[in-house]
């Protein structure tokens, strides 16, 4: 995954990440757009180095399911 991240970063990941951060900054200019802007920052971070992050997100989704089922 390290080699994949390096190749991705050099051939487009840096541009995609910078664009997501700029879009996030634009969304954060308004109070209503702040939640969307924060999600854009997360996507920007993921755009820089996407490989190897899948396992963590699956675990976070499972924890979210457990928390929501507790409230139901």
């Amino acid at each position: 995954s390290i080699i994949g991240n390096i190749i991705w970063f050099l051939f487009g990941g840096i541009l995609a990440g910078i664009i997501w951060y700029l879009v996030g900054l634009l969304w954060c200019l308004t109070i209503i757009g702040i939640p969307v802007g924060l999600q854009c920052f997360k996507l920007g971070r993921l755009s820089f180095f996407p490989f190897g992050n899948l396992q963590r997100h699956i675990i976070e989704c499972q924890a979210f399911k457990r928390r929501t089922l507790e409230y139901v």
Side-chain angles (χ1 to χ4, degrees), residues 21-62:
Y21 275 100
L22 290 175
V23 170
L25 284 173
L26 289 174
W27 273 105
C28 285
L29 292 177
T30 65
I31 293 174
I32 295 172
I34 290 175
V36 177
L38 294 177
Q39 296 306 314
C40 288
F41 294 144
K42 289 179 185 178
L43 286 171
R45 186 176 58 220
L46 184 64
S47 294
F48 282 126
F49 303 108
F51 300 108
N53 289 323
L54 180 64
Q55 204 54 260
R56 180 176 48 162
H57 294 296
I58 290 173
I59 292 170
E60 288 175 2
C61 290
Q62 290 172 348

Side-chain angles (χ1 to χ4, degrees), residues 6-26:
I6 292 171
I7 292 170
W8 173 258
F9 185 76
L10 294 175
F11 291 107
I14 189 167
L15 183 62
I18 290 172
I19 289 172
W20 275 114
Y21 275 100
L22 290 175
V23 170
L25 284 173
L26 289 174

